[in-house]
Amino acid sequence: MPTDDYFMAQALAEAEKAFAADEIPIGAVVVFENQIIGRGYNQTERLRDVTAHAEMLALTAAANYLGNKYLADCTLYVTIEPCVMCAGASYWAQVKAVVFGADEPKVGFRRHGALLHPRTKLRGGVLAEECAALMRRFFTLKRK
């Protein structure tokens, strides 16, 4: 049975796609019954859409796969702590769990209180160093 590390590695692979596209390298996958049913990576620049975050795209793909806007039996894996918008989307989708890699102290949702659905479980720190390293690499290149 796949582990949290496995699914986070899949989210990291999505983040690498964002990195290659010169987007902020955040990736996400949605898992249902140990199967990935939604994938996404940041595409805000390419799509010229401020809502085209990795989580939003992965949640939409998962809802389309299931044919249901509610994802109550799904887990969202994302490389970086979600922002307020993405936490809110997971609230409305009623995801079972949100698992993230690295903290996001500047714009992460946890700065703003309880934004997840009351039944949603939260776990952070999965492959945190790998997730943070990709972000550092991206912003180091941007600052050169």
Side-chain angles (χ1 to χ4, degrees):
M1 179 178 299
T3 65
D4 283 348
D5 284 0
Y6 170 80
F7 290 122
M8 189 60 70
Q10 295 298 305
L12 262 168
E14 294 297 312
E16 289 283 355
K17 293 176 186 176
F19 184 95
D22 202 30
E23 299 270 1
I24 294 174
I26 298 174
V29 297
V30 176
V31 174
F32 174 71
E33 295 180 348
N34 289 311
Q35 177 184 342
I36 295 172
I37 62 167
R39 294 178 178 271
Y41 61 90
N42 274 0
Q43 296 183 53
T44 60
E45 299 299 326
R46 184 178 84 111
L47 298 176
R48 295 185 183 101
D49 179 357
V50 297
T51 69
H53 289 197
E55 301 95 319
M56 302 295 280
L57 298 173
L59 289 169
T60 298
N64 287 336
Y65 179 88
L66 292 176
N68 191 344
K69 65 183 179 181
Y70 297 115
L71 304 174
D73 294 321
C74 297
T75 299
L76 170 65
Y77 289 85
V78 58
T79 56
I80 303 296
E81 175 187 347
C83 70
V84 170
M85 175 182 67
C86 294
S90 75
Y91 177 98
W92 290 112
Q94 300 179 13
V95 298
K96 175 177 68 178
V98 174
V99 179
F100 67 88
D103 293 338
E104 177 34 279
K106 293 181 183 174
V107 296
F109 81 92
R110 292 181 299 161
R111 295 181 63 224
H112 302 283
L115 298 177
L116 299 180
H117 193 278
R119 290 188 299 269
T120 300
K121 293 176 176 60
L122 178 65
R123 180 167 175 231
V126 177
L127 300 183
E129 182 49 41
E130 294 89 332
C131 295
L134 183 59
M135 291 286 278
R136 283 192 304 271
R137 193 173 78 184
F138 178 80
F139 285 108
T140 297
L141 289 171
K142 284 290 180 196
R143 291 182 184 112
K144 285 187 176 184

Short mmCIF file of all heavy atoms in Angstrom, two decimals, residues 8 10 13 16 31-32 36 48 55-56 75 82 88 91 93 101 113 115 117 123 128 130 139-141:
data_model
loop_
_atom_site.label_atom_id
_atom_site.label_comp_id
_atom_site.label_asym_id
_atom_site.label_seq_id
_atom_site.Cartn_x
_atom_site.Cartn_y
_atom_site.Cartn_z
N MET A 8 3.43 12.12 -1.57
CA MET A 8 4.08 13.44 -1.58
C MET A 8 5.14 13.48 -2.68
O MET A 8 5.33 14.53 -3.32
CB MET A 8 4.70 13.76 -0.22
CG MET A 8 5.21 15.18 -0.13
SD MET A 8 3.92 16.44 -0.39
CE MET A 8 2.96 16.22 1.11
N GLN A 10 4.86 12.07 -5.48
CA GLN A 10 4.08 12.33 -6.70
C GLN A 10 3.72 13.81 -6.81
O GLN A 10 3.75 14.39 -7.89
CB GLN A 10 2.81 11.47 -6.70
CG GLN A 10 3.08 9.98 -6.77
CD GLN A 10 3.80 9.60 -8.04
OE1 GLN A 10 3.34 9.90 -9.14
NE2 GLN A 10 4.94 8.95 -7.91
N ALA A 13 6.72 15.61 -7.98
CA ALA A 13 6.89 15.47 -9.44
C ALA A 13 6.05 16.51 -10.17
O ALA A 13 6.48 17.07 -11.18
CB ALA A 13 6.52 14.06 -9.89
N GLU A 16 7.82 19.83 -9.85
CA GLU A 16 8.93 19.92 -10.81
C GLU A 16 8.43 20.40 -12.18
O GLU A 16 9.13 21.12 -12.88
CB GLU A 16 9.64 18.57 -10.95
CG GLU A 16 10.46 18.17 -9.74
CD GLU A 16 11.79 18.91 -9.62
OE1 GLU A 16 12.16 19.68 -10.53
OE2 GLU A 16 12.47 18.69 -8.61
N VAL A 31 -5.92 11.86 -3.61
CA VAL A 31 -5.91 10.40 -3.53
C VAL A 31 -7.25 9.89 -3.01
O VAL A 31 -7.79 10.42 -2.02
CB VAL A 31 -4.76 9.92 -2.61
CG1 VAL A 31 -4.82 8.42 -2.39
CG2 VAL A 31 -3.42 10.34 -3.20
N PHE A 32 -7.77 8.89 -3.69
CA PHE A 32 -9.01 8.21 -3.30
C PHE A 32 -8.75 6.72 -3.36
O PHE A 32 -8.31 6.21 -4.40
CB PHE A 32 -10.14 8.61 -4.25
CG PHE A 32 -11.43 7.86 -4.05
CD1 PHE A 32 -12.21 8.09 -2.93
CD2 PHE A 32 -11.87 6.94 -4.99
CE1 PHE A 32 -13.40 7.41 -2.74
CE2 PHE A 32 -13.06 6.26 -4.82
CZ PHE A 32 -13.83 6.50 -3.69
N ILE A 36 -4.31 7.87 -7.17
CA ILE A 36 -4.31 9.30 -7.50
C ILE A 36 -5.40 9.55 -8.54
O ILE A 36 -5.39 8.94 -9.62
CB ILE A 36 -2.93 9.74 -8.02
CG1 ILE A 36 -1.88 9.62 -6.91
CG2 ILE A 36 -3.00 11.18 -8.55
CD1 ILE A 36 -0.46 9.85 -7.36
N ARG A 48 -2.72 32.74 -16.88
CA ARG A 48 -3.07 34.12 -16.49
C ARG A 48 -4.30 34.11 -15.59
O ARG A 48 -5.28 34.84 -15.79
CB ARG A 48 -3.31 35.00 -17.72
CG ARG A 48 -2.07 35.19 -18.55
CD ARG A 48 -2.33 36.17 -19.69
NE ARG A 48 -1.14 36.28 -20.51
CZ ARG A 48 -0.97 35.66 -21.67
NH1 ARG A 48 -1.90 34.88 -22.15
NH2 ARG A 48 0.14 35.83 -22.36
N GLU A 55 -3.34 23.07 -5.94
CA GLU A 55 -4.43 22.43 -5.20
C GLU A 55 -5.76 22.58 -5.92
O GLU A 55 -6.55 21.63 -5.99
CB GLU A 55 -4.57 23.05 -3.80
CG GLU A 55 -3.32 22.95 -2.95
CD GLU A 55 -2.46 24.19 -3.01
OE1 GLU A 55 -2.29 24.78 -4.11
OE2 GLU A 55 -1.92 24.59 -1.96
N MET A 56 -6.01 23.78 -6.43
CA MET A 56 -7.28 24.04 -7.12
C MET A 56 -7.43 23.14 -8.34
O MET A 56 -8.50 22.56 -8.58
CB MET A 56 -7.38 25.51 -7.52
CG MET A 56 -7.25 26.49 -6.36
SD MET A 56 -8.60 26.38 -5.18
CE MET A 56 -9.83 27.34 -6.06
N THR A 75 -7.86 12.46 0.08
CA THR A 75 -6.77 13.18 0.74
C THR A 75 -6.06 14.04 -0.29
O THR A 75 -5.72 13.56 -1.37
CB THR A 75 -5.78 12.19 1.39
OG1 THR A 75 -6.49 11.42 2.38
CG2 THR A 75 -4.63 12.92 2.06
N PRO A 82 -1.01 24.97 2.10
CA PRO A 82 -1.93 25.71 1.23
C PRO A 82 -2.16 27.16 1.70
O PRO A 82 -2.06 27.47 2.89
CB PRO A 82 -3.24 24.92 1.32
CG PRO A 82 -2.82 23.54 1.72
CD PRO A 82 -1.63 23.74 2.62
N GLY A 88 -9.69 27.05 1.73
CA GLY A 88 -11.13 27.24 1.60
C GLY A 88 -11.75 26.28 0.60
O GLY A 88 -12.83 25.73 0.83
N TYR A 91 -12.07 23.04 2.16
CA TYR A 91 -13.21 23.09 3.08
C TYR A 91 -14.50 22.76 2.32
O TYR A 91 -15.27 21.90 2.73
CB TYR A 91 -13.33 24.48 3.72
CG TYR A 91 -14.51 24.63 4.64
CD1 TYR A 91 -14.36 24.49 6.01
CD2 TYR A 91 -15.79 24.88 4.14
CE1 TYR A 91 -15.45 24.62 6.86
CE2 TYR A 91 -16.88 25.01 4.97
CZ TYR A 91 -16.71 24.87 6.34
OH TYR A 91 -17.79 24.99 7.17
N ALA A 93 -14.92 21.35 -0.53
CA ALA A 93 -14.89 20.00 -1.09
C ALA A 93 -15.01 18.94 0.00
O ALA A 93 -15.24 17.77 -0.29
CB ALA A 93 -13.61 19.78 -1.90
N GLY A 101 3.85 19.26 2.63
CA GLY A 101 5.28 19.07 2.86
C GLY A 101 5.84 20.14 3.77
O GLY A 101 5.90 19.98 4.98
N GLY A 113 -6.15 30.97 11.26
CA GLY A 113 -7.10 30.21 12.07
C GLY A 113 -7.60 28.96 11.39
O GLY A 113 -7.02 28.46 10.44
N LEU A 115 -9.42 27.07 9.02
CA LEU A 115 -10.06 27.24 7.72
C LEU A 115 -10.44 25.92 7.05
O LEU A 115 -11.11 25.93 6.03
CB LEU A 115 -9.14 28.03 6.78
CG LEU A 115 -8.80 29.45 7.23
CD1 LEU A 115 -7.83 30.09 6.25
CD2 LEU A 115 -10.05 30.28 7.35
N HIS A 117 -12.34 22.16 6.87
CA HIS A 117 -13.59 21.56 7.33
C HIS A 117 -13.34 20.90 8.69
O HIS A 117 -12.27 20.33 8.90
CB HIS A 117 -14.09 20.53 6.30
CG HIS A 117 -15.48 20.10 6.53
ND1 HIS A 117 -15.81 19.13 7.44
CD2 HIS A 117 -16.65 20.54 5.98
CE1 HIS A 117 -17.11 18.97 7.44
NE2 HIS A 117 -17.64 19.82 6.56
N ARG A 123 -1.96 17.18 8.36
CA ARG A 123 -0.63 16.67 8.69
C ARG A 123 0.38 17.42 7.84
O ARG A 123 0.22 17.54 6.63
CB ARG A 123 -0.54 15.18 8.41
CG ARG A 123 0.83 14.61 8.74
CD ARG A 123 0.83 13.09 8.76
NE ARG A 123 2.19 12.64 8.96
CZ ARG A 123 2.79 11.74 8.21
NH1 ARG A 123 2.15 11.16 7.23
NH2 ARG A 123 4.03 11.40 8.46
N ALA A 128 9.31 17.33 3.95
CA ALA A 128 9.40 18.79 4.10
C ALA A 128 10.68 19.36 3.51
O ALA A 128 10.64 20.39 2.83
CB ALA A 128 9.27 19.17 5.57
N GLU A 130 12.65 18.20 1.12
CA GLU A 130 12.65 18.13 -0.33
C GLU A 130 11.74 19.20 -0.93
O GLU A 130 12.07 19.85 -1.91
CB GLU A 130 12.22 16.74 -0.81
CG GLU A 130 13.18 15.63 -0.45
CD GLU A 130 12.91 14.98 0.90
OE1 GLU A 130 12.36 15.64 1.81
OE2 GLU A 130 13.27 13.80 1.06
N PHE A 139 13.53 30.23 -6.07
CA PHE A 139 13.67 31.65 -5.73
C PHE A 139 15.12 32.11 -5.76
O PHE A 139 15.38 33.28 -6.06
CB PHE A 139 12.98 31.96 -4.39
CG PHE A 139 11.48 32.00 -4.54
CD1 PHE A 139 10.69 30.99 -4.03
CD2 PHE A 139 10.87 33.02 -5.25
CE1 PHE A 139 9.31 31.01 -4.19
CE2 PHE A 139 9.50 33.06 -5.42
CZ PHE A 139 8.71 32.06 -4.88
N THR A 140 16.07 31.21 -5.55
CA THR A 140 17.47 31.57 -5.71
C THR A 140 17.76 31.92 -7.17
O THR A 140 18.41 32.91 -7.47
CB THR A 140 18.40 30.42 -5.25
OG1 THR A 140 18.18 30.21 -3.86
CG2 THR A 140 19.85 30.72 -5.51
N LEU A 141 17.22 31.13 -8.08
CA LEU A 141 17.40 31.41 -9.51
C LEU A 141 16.70 32.71 -9.91
O LEU A 141 17.20 33.45 -10.73
CB LEU A 141 16.86 30.25 -10.35
CG LEU A 141 17.68 28.97 -10.30
CD1 LEU A 141 16.94 27.83 -11.00
CD2 LEU A 141 19.04 29.19 -10.93
#
